[in-house]
Amino acid sequence: MKQHIAAAVLAAVTFFAAALPAAAQVYVTVAPPAPVVETIPVSPGHGYVWVPGYYRWNGVRYVWVHGHYVLHAGHWCPGGWHHTPARGWWYTPGHWC
């Protein structure tokens, strides 16, 4: 009996966890402006990676988030705005690849 309850709880958690990213996705009907051209400053030291700036939707308008350095020993895959005619624009956040 305990195994059945544990399996049911695991299935429910998996179902709702899989549904969260889709439910949290925000679509914007207005395209983002052209990216801001940023001058990349000199790295603060070994192991720092530049994370480029991007536009964030604040619920009313696009707001530029400036690029910055982070200390990491990997490769940063920048986020980006994507478009679909049916739903509009959505942002995929940057992440470590």
Side-chain angles (χ1 to χ4, degrees):
M1 180 67 169
K2 288 182 182 179
Q3 289 176 334
H4 293 300
I5 293 172
V9 169
L10 179 61
V13 168
T14 302
F15 172 78
F16 287 111
L20 282 177
Q25 191 71 299
V26 175
Y27 288 88
V28 183
T29 58
V30 179
V36 173
V37 177
E38 294 183 304
T39 301
I40 301 174
V42 176
S43 173
H46 179 71
Y48 282 85
V49 178
W50 177 254
V51 177
Y54 63 95
Y55 278 106
R56 178 180 58 82
W57 180 255
N58 71 0
V60 178
R61 63 186 180 89
Y62 290 100
V63 178
W64 182 254
V65 177
H66 293 281
H68 58 281
Y69 276 102
V70 294
L71 183 58
H72 196 275
H75 175 74
W76 179 258
C77 291
W81 283 95
H82 310 283
H83 182 259
T84 179
R87 298 189 80 178
W89 293 86
W90 79 95
Y91 185 75
T92 302
H95 58 280
W96 294 105
C97 305

